[in-house]
Amino acid sequence: MKDILKKLPKIELHCHLDGSVRPETMYELLLEEGEDMEDISLEQFEKMAKVVDECNSLVEYLERFSYPLKVMQRKENIERITYELLEDLSKQNVKYVEIRFAPFLFMEKGLSFDESVESVLKGMERAKGDFNILSNAILVCMRHESVEKSIELVEKGEKFLGKGVVAVDLAGAEEGFPPENHKEAFDLAYKKGYNITVHAGETGRYENITKSIELLHAERIGHGIAAIKSPEVMELIKNKNIFLEMCPISNLQTKAVESLDEYPIKEFLDNDILVTVNTDNTTVSNTSLDKEYELLIDGLGFSIEDIIKLIKNSIEATFLPKEEKAHLKRIIENELKNI
Ligand SMILES: [Zn+2]
């Protein structure tokens, strides 16, 4: 089974760049930045950068992001981190990935918005040539920031649309920061032709899912677990053909669900909801697509056919233009035929 999983052609749609930095690269760059790492070995550091055993909440989970952000303030570092993530994903036979990041978080030491986006795009371009992996970027607005900041992101990101950037997202802790706060920015993004995905119903309420679809124009929902609590929300997701970007291991770590038994992925699939499976953060969650699929097989009784269905959903869920989507579909289907 593991061998088949390894060989499957895969798609990753929900992956945060800052949560997916190689630990050894982070360690090396922290030393370069003059961070006091004297008493910390690489092995110890890996445990600090990842959720290895237990984590009690989304807030605790998000604390892991302080290390990567310290080293993502230089162009060459951002490009390298992007390139290395794509190298790692290509080794797991990931054919296409949408990498997401919040440009403003890379601008604490003087980088401009354009420099921060261009650095990611350069890493993507170089990886495409070297590892034959396709990718696009999703620009992330942060919930706790003002709507003006989100509008600024939408405006400044516009020139990269179709040139490596395909969408905007809204991320961060949900409690206290409802989707409607950012409506003006997402109306603008919609007008400008961005695709839209929104984190909603991760550890927050199901109302956030409805609002993200109806007020923020979301075509995809990050996580969406809380939908299981409302038949109306399930209906809405189904009727509007909204894709869910689920990330099982991360969802268990942030206590979005108490245990795998409560994880609603089967119920969603049985209700014809378009589910995709992703990693969220390969380093912070200490995961990979192979591990996510393995968990579904070992823990929830999924078959390889179920996994292939998830991958096919992911093809449809990509924010690729029609022709590129058809091209990706051919690549994936050709490989599936040979397995
Ligand atoms: Zn996420």
Side-chain angles (χ1 to χ4, degrees), residues 14 16 100 169 171 199 202 223 247 280-281:
H14 190 125
H16 295 264
R100 60 186 75 197
D169 173 29
H199 282 70
E202 178 180 8
H223 310 293
C247 309
D280 211 7
N281 300 286

Side-chain angles (χ1 to χ4, degrees), residues 282-319:
T282 57
T283 300
V284 172
S285 281
N286 193 20
T287 188
S288 65
L289 280 174
D290 286 3
K291 277 197 192 176
E292 301 286 341
Y293 294 146
E294 247 179 81
L295 177 74
L296 297 179
I297 290 170
D298 295 342
L300 292 176
F302 274 54
S303 64
I304 286 289
E305 286 70 28
D306 293 329
I307 303 296
I308 289 173
K309 182 170 185 218
L310 293 170
I311 294 170
K312 288 187 171 170
N313 282 348
S314 289
I315 301 174
E316 298 309 322
T318 62
F319 286 142

Side-chain angles (χ1 to χ4, degrees), residues 107-278:
M107 291 163 61
E108 283 162 16
K109 288 190 180 160
L111 279 192
S112 69
F113 182 93
D114 286 3
E115 285 170 331
S116 106
V117 176
E118 279 160 3
S119 306
V120 174
L121 300 186
K122 260 192 200 164
M124 287 176 11
E125 199 49 45
R126 205 148 59 82
K128 184 183 169 190
D130 289 353
F131 313 120
N132 194 25
I133 181 167
L134 302 169
S135 56
N136 274 305
I138 297 175
L139 304 180
V140 177
C141 302
M142 300 302 294
R143 313 187 92 92
H144 63 272
E145 294 282 2
S146 65
V147 65
E148 287 77 21
K149 209 75 188 146
S150 298
I151 291 172
E152 190 185 336
L153 178 142
V154 169
E155 281 173 345
K156 288 188 169 162
E158 187 179 12
K159 70 167 170 218
F160 299 106
L161 252 188
K163 295 178 184 126
V165 168
V166 286
V168 282
D169 173 29
L170 184 63
E174 280 178 79
E175 212 45 58
F177 304 102
E180 61 267 33
N181 290 3
H182 294 266
K183 176 164 172 51
E184 211 184 319
F186 281 75
D187 279 344
L188 186 67
Y190 183 70
K191 255 190 238 151
K192 288 187 185 295
Y194 283 88
N195 292 288
I196 294 170
T197 176
V198 175
H199 282 70
E202 178 180 8
T203 55
R205 330 154 174 265
Y206 59 77
E207 292 91 329
N208 284 350
I209 300 171
T210 311
K211 288 178 186 171
S212 300
I213 296 167
E214 292 181 343
L215 302 176
L216 304 190
H217 317 276
E219 306 148 73
R220 294 191 339 213
I221 291 290
H223 310 293
I225 298 155
I228 197 70
K229 295 179 197 155
S230 162
E232 290 80 21
V233 176
M234 298 260 284
E235 258 325 279
L236 177 73
I237 292 174
K238 192 177 145 181
N239 291 340
K240 296 224 164 190
N241 293 319
I242 304 292
F243 291 92
L244 295 188
E245 308 158 357
M246 299 190 84
C247 309
I249 290 177
S250 163
N251 297 149
L252 286 166
Q253 290 167 338
T254 60
K255 297 283 183 287
V257 287
E258 275 306 316
S259 68
L260 191 59
D261 297 334
E262 288 171 34
Y263 200 58
I265 188 165
K266 260 265 185 286
E267 287 85 340
F268 287 157
L269 285 168
D270 290 345
N271 279 283
D272 297 320
I273 286 177
L274 299 163
V275 174
T276 70
V277 165
N278 310 279

